[in-house]
Amino acid sequence: MGDASASDTESNKPSPINEPHLELERRPFGGLEFQVSEVVERLEAGVNAQDAADDEKKREPRKISTGFFEPEETPMDEILKILEELVIKTDPSCESLEPPLLPTDAVTRAAILSHSISALFGRLERSHAARLGTHIASETTRWMAHMFRLSDYNAYYHQEQLEGLVRVTRMLLHHRYPRYLEDGALAFANRLPCIYSCVASPLGIVQHLCRQLGLPLACVRPVPVNPSGRGMDIDALERLCDEDVAANRTPLLVLGEVGAPPLGWGTPLYTLGEICARRNLHLHVRGHALALPGASLKEQTYSIPDSLTLTPGPWFGVPGLPTVTFYKIPESVTANDQSKGVNAAGAREGAVAALSGLCAAGRAAALPLWVMARAAGAPALHGALRAAFRAARTAYTLVAAAGLTVLSERPGGDEPPNIDIVEAVSQASACVAFQFAPPGAERPPPYYDKLNSWLGQVLQREADMISIEVCETESHGVVLRYCPLEGSILEEDKIESWSSILEAQVHVLHATVALREPFQQRVEQNPCLRLVHVPGWAGLGGVRYVPPGWEEAPLEQLNSLNRQLVETLRVTDGAFSCGDGDDQMACVRFGMVTADTDVDELLDLVVAAGREVEESSKALTDMSEVLKKGIEAAQADIERESLERLWQEGLLRRVPVVGRVVSWWAPSAAPPVGRRLHLASGTLQPTDDIYRLVQNKSKDNTEPARAHSPTRAAPQH
């Protein structure tokens, strides 16, 4: 059944016209496979067509019904059309217009189909579905354990990445606290469990663990970083365990990492496993380096961790695959103060109960991974892992050759034959973490954080053949990270292109750092310029133009002057931009430069443009003063003439109704005198001559019209 559906998913050959219905009747999932494939193809075609058609038109916002849920019966064709519209239209708040669906290959189609089949398992009888799910899970567990060289493990398949760790920890609580099944959190009120995690590990993992299990954060015991700066300090872990035992606490769980984000540092699994076994601690390991055995040709197996988490979905680049947590069921507890009234068999049953019944009835959580493994085949899966580690090694070499500081370990995959598989997993990294930093600096200055952020943004924009992540770490500041197990793989035909882009940007970084100090010195020597600190700016810096005599000028006037200066400079060079300094005042920002940039020439250009803007601004200021004074003088003259006319013509002309009669009976002798402002001299002049000129022109235009007007013929009787 599984073989048939997987092989049909991979095949692109059309079935004979007269056989499809008969074939679908013989296969239980044949019709479902055909429908799912048709839906996927239809959605892909709609996305591609919409992407091509919307290049020249604006997308319309998606209409969402705000009414009650009163759907009518809708045929499947109409439902698919609605889904196509929902898929091809992006979020209105998102600026990206890229299609939300990526093209799917045969393996991805098989994984998509497996979810539909998994939902169909719910219609089987409970016992039948349980046997089927157990068979699929056991086969998948055997395949995954063989691929990643694991032995003596059980497997739990889940969708949430941390769900397996939560279940394993709950199993440990049942194991160490036999009364936990009956008393809950009260079972460890007198002896608090302790969870050990390195301070360099993501804090969200232990926080999620405590929230899901109702544990107080006091259970979390942070372990310092090794003095070498990489990985967990094993000696500090032992000291913390001794302190907790002396304080009547129960050491429970150690969270180890191998090749985990963001820096891909490892942990010596042999040493850590020995300590955990001696102190009765449960060791849980996570990280991308666990994928290394799948890319290695070694046949050696290992079982040092008590549990570990694998993420095959990102590793193989197939969406919808479950996360796998391999675990060992602990031995039965011995009698202690907390196990009074509970026998050893009951404690073991409580521990097993924490991991039993995790899958819904009639559903197989391992089915997508089972289908994907059959559709792709073991050679292709091994090849995908080898290609990912090979891409990481290539990027590692290119980054080191470009003169950048590499913070991660060297990616594995090409270890010598004499290297043990556990040592290889402990030391190898699956990512490349790097930054631009001064030589020999453990923690780069804050200015380099801005430079690394700029470098990450440029690589994300111009070198989009791989995915570069910008991370902020406590010990190293801003770090750039590339992990092929999480995103795109650096292909061989793109290596030279990516390397040239990286080297060009590194040259820009070196030139900017080298010219930054001379730039600041030249600015301080120029009396018209002020050096401004611009937060978050990676370029040469910020400059404010303050001409002589403007030291006490209003802030608004100074801001306006510098904004006009930036607009003038951008006509010449688009590298200039306007920004705000720490004092929230406008300034001229100088961006990244190359080695052949002349700082003196740039500053001279700013000063020359500033003087032009200053002169034009001064002319505008003088003009505004002339206009202001002229308007004030005109208003004063108009008020004075209005008072004179009032006394000369009498008050009756000002009465609303009577004034019209008086003006009709005795019109005013002369119209009111207007004023005009002469901008060249800044004086007010009367408008009598303009009135006369207009009246003469109107008379000249009226007389020819009367002369050429046609005469009306007399009517004939």
Side-chain angles (χ1 to χ4, degrees):
M1 176 180 62
D3 293 337
S5 66
S7 61
D8 288 341
T9 305
E10 290 181 350
S11 176
N12 294 324
K13 297 181 180 179
S15 300
I17 299 177
N18 55 349
E19 294 183 0
H21 296 289
L22 184 61
E23 179 68 19
L24 295 181
E25 290 178 0
R26 290 199 297 262
R27 296 169 48 218
F29 302 120
L32 179 64
E33 175 191 356
F34 177 75
Q35 292 179 12
V36 172
S37 300
E38 185 181 12
V39 169
V40 172
E41 291 177 357
R42 185 166 180 172
L43 290 178
E44 287 179 353
V47 169
N48 296 332
Q50 183 73 11
D51 183 53
D54 284 357
D55 287 340
E56 300 180 358
K57 68 178 183 179
K58 186 179 179 181
R59 295 180 183 270
E60 298 179 357
R62 180 164 60 95
K63 297 180 180 179
I64 301 177
S65 174
T66 58
F68 294 101
F69 182 64
E70 297 178 354
E72 299 179 354
E73 183 178 356
T74 309
M76 194 60 194
D77 256 0
E78 188 66 25
I79 295 175
L80 290 180
K81 290 181 181 179
I82 297 175
L83 283 176
E84 290 171 9
E85 293 179 0
L86 293 177
V87 169
I88 61 181
K89 291 184 178 178
T90 57
D91 188 354
S93 61
C94 181
E95 297 180 358
S96 176
L97 295 180
E98 296 180 358
L101 288 182
L102 297 177
T104 55
D105 53 6
V107 177
T108 304
R109 288 174 180 267
I112 295 173
L113 173 63
S114 66
H115 287 275
S116 301
I117 299 176
S118 178
L120 198 61
F121 282 172
R123 303 190 62 181
L124 299 176
E125 294 183 1
R126 191 180 188 87
S127 58
H128 186 187
R131 290 193 300 270
L132 183 59
T134 301
H135 175 76
I136 292 176
S138 61
E139 278 196 355
T140 309
T141 301
R142 186 171 66 253
W143 295 342
M144 291 296 105
H146 178 73
M147 175 175 293
F148 296 104
R149 308 296 187 262
L150 302 173
S151 61
D152 301 330
Y153 284 99
N154 300 304
Y156 168 49
Y157 300 89
H158 48 93
Q159 293 299 326
E160 297 293 334
Q161 191 168 353
L162 297 178
E163 184 181 353
L165 178 59
V166 172
R167 301 287 182 172
V168 168
T169 308
R170 182 177 287 115
M171 179 191 66
L172 294 177
L173 292 176
H174 281 286
H175 173 62
R176 298 293 183 88
Y177 297 90
R179 303 292 308 178
Y180 180 62
L181 190 61
E182 292 81 10
D183 299 342
L186 296 177
F188 43 80
N190 297 327
R191 291 181 63 90
L192 200 65
C194 296
I195 301 174
Y196 303 92
S197 176
C198 183
V199 295
S201 302
L203 184 61
I205 295 177
V206 289
Q207 289 179 343
H208 177 81
L209 193 60
C210 291
R211 283 195 299 265
Q212 294 297 316
L213 298 175
L215 298 176
L217 289 178
C219 296
V220 180
R221 300 285 286 164
V223 183
V225 180
N226 191 279
S228 63
R230 303 191 174 191
M232 180 186 296
D233 190 346
I234 305 299
D235 296 334
L237 174 63
E238 293 200 83
R239 290 194 298 269
L240 288 175
C241 290
D242 293 335
E243 294 176 3
D244 293 332
V245 172
N248 198 28
R249 295 183 175 185
T250 302
L252 183 70
L253 175 65
V254 175
L255 300 178
E257 295 183 343
V258 285
L263 301 180
W265 291 343
T267 303
L269 291 182
Y270 274 130
T271 306
L272 190 59
E274 180 184 354
I275 293 175
C276 291
R278 187 175 70 249
R279 294 182 174 272
N280 197 22
L281 278 166
H282 185 97
L283 174 60
H284 181 84
V285 180
R286 56 183 292 272
H288 292 315
L290 294 174
L292 179 62
S296 175
L297 299 177
K298 299 179 182 294
E299 295 295 335
Q300 177 190 357
T301 61
Y302 69 101
S303 60
I304 293 178
D306 298 297
S307 62
L308 48 89
T309 299
L310 307 180
T311 55
W315 292 353
F316 297 127
V318 179
L321 297 185
T323 302
V324 188
T325 296
F326 286 91
Y327 63 93
K328 299 176 182 177
I329 299 178
E331 298 297 331
S332 59
V333 295
T334 57
N336 52 43
D337 294 338
Q338 301 180 33
S339 62
K340 293 179 179 179
V342 179
N343 55 24
R348 183 176 176 85
E349 290 176 359
V352 175
L355 286 175
S356 63
L358 298 177
C359 298
R363 293 179 66 91
L367 182 61
L369 191 56
W370 183 86
V371 172
M372 185 277 301
R374 282 186 171 272
L381 297 180
H382 285 292
L385 296 178
R386 294 190 188 101
F389 280 95
R390 184 167 56 250
R393 293 194 301 271
T394 302
Y396 183 93
T397 304
L398 296 178
V399 168
L404 297 172
T405 302
V406 183
L407 302 175
S408 58
E409 300 287 350
R410 187 181 184 278
D414 59 346
E415 292 80 9
N418 59 342
I419 298 296
D420 186 78
I421 187 66
V422 177
E423 294 180 359
V425 172
S426 303
Q427 300 174 4
S429 173
C431 67
V432 182
F434 59 97
Q435 65 178 184
F436 179 74
E442 295 183 1
R443 178 66 161 83
Y447 173 63
Y448 282 79
D449 290 343
K450 307 173 188 177
L451 295 176
N452 285 290
S453 297
W454 175 86
L455 177 60
Q457 294 172 7
V458 172
L459 292 179
Q460 289 173 349
R461 183 178 65 251
E462 299 185 5
D464 56 352
M465 60 279 295
I466 62 174
S467 301
I468 297 294
E469 182 183 1
V470 181
C471 308
E472 187 170 356
T473 62
E474 183 178 355
S475 57
H476 296 276
V478 176
V479 175
L480 306 184
R481 179 174 176 270
Y482 165 58
C483 183
L485 290 176
E486 295 179 0
S488 56
I489 294 179
L490 182 58
E491 301 176 358
E492 294 184 1
D493 57 342
K494 302 292 182 63
I495 293 176
E496 185 176 354
S497 175
W498 190 79
S499 175
S500 61
I501 294 175
L502 180 64
E503 291 180 357
Q505 306 310 321
V506 171
H507 290 325
V508 171
L509 290 173
H510 282 293
T512 303
V513 172
L515 294 176
R516 181 177 172 82
E517 185 175 353
F519 170 79
Q520 295 177 352
Q521 294 176 355
R522 301 295 191 279
V523 171
E524 293 176 354
Q525 295 172 0
N526 197 309
C528 298
L529 302 178
R530 302 289 186 273
L531 189 64
V532 180
H533 176 261
V534 182
W537 186 247
L540 285 178
V543 168
R544 183 174 295 121
Y545 179 72
V546 183
W550 285 60
E551 290 78 4
E552 303 297 332
L555 300 182
E556 295 79 4
Q557 189 174 357
L558 198 58
N559 283 338
S560 177
L561 175 65
N562 281 271
R563 290 193 181 97
Q564 295 177 15
L565 174 58
V566 172
E567 294 178 0
T568 304
L569 291 172
R570 288 185 65 83
V571 175
T572 305
D573 191 346
F576 295 100
S577 61
C578 184
D580 294 333
D582 290 334
D583 52 1
Q584 303 301 319
M585 292 183 61
C587 65
V588 182
R589 294 187 305 190
F590 287 73
M592 309 296 290
V593 296
T594 56
D596 57 350
T597 302
D598 190 346
V599 175
D600 294 332
E601 182 179 353
L602 287 178
L603 294 178
D604 292 341
L605 178 62
V606 171
V607 173
R611 289 173 181 170
E612 294 179 2
V613 173
E614 179 190 359
E615 294 176 358
S616 61
S617 175
K618 185 177 180 181
L620 290 175
T621 303
D622 295 341
M623 184 68 66
S624 62
E625 290 295 329
V626 170
L627 291 173
K628 182 178 179 181
K629 292 180 180 179
I631 292 172
E632 291 176 353
Q635 289 178 347
D637 290 348
I638 291 173
E639 291 178 358
R640 178 175 52 78
E641 291 179 358
S642 297
L643 290 176
E644 292 178 356
R645 291 174 63 86
L646 178 63
W647 292 109
Q648 292 175 2
E649 298 177 356
L651 293 175
L652 290 178
R653 293 184 182 273
R654 305 296 177 180
V655 179
V657 178
V658 180
R660 294 182 180 179
V661 179
V662 174
S663 298
W664 173 76
W665 182 264
S668 178
V673 180
R675 297 288 188 276
R676 71 171 183 268
L677 179 62
H678 195 276
L679 297 179
S681 61
T683 58
L684 288 175
Q685 298 177 358
T687 57
D688 297 343
D689 52 349
I690 296 178
Y691 288 150
R692 289 194 298 269
L693 181 61
V694 172
Q695 290 176 356
N696 294 335
K697 285 185 177 181
S698 62
K699 289 180 180 180
D700 295 341
N701 294 334
T702 305
E703 290 177 357
R706 291 178 179 176
H708 293 85
S709 60
T711 57
R712 183 176 298 176
Q716 298 180 0
H717 299 282

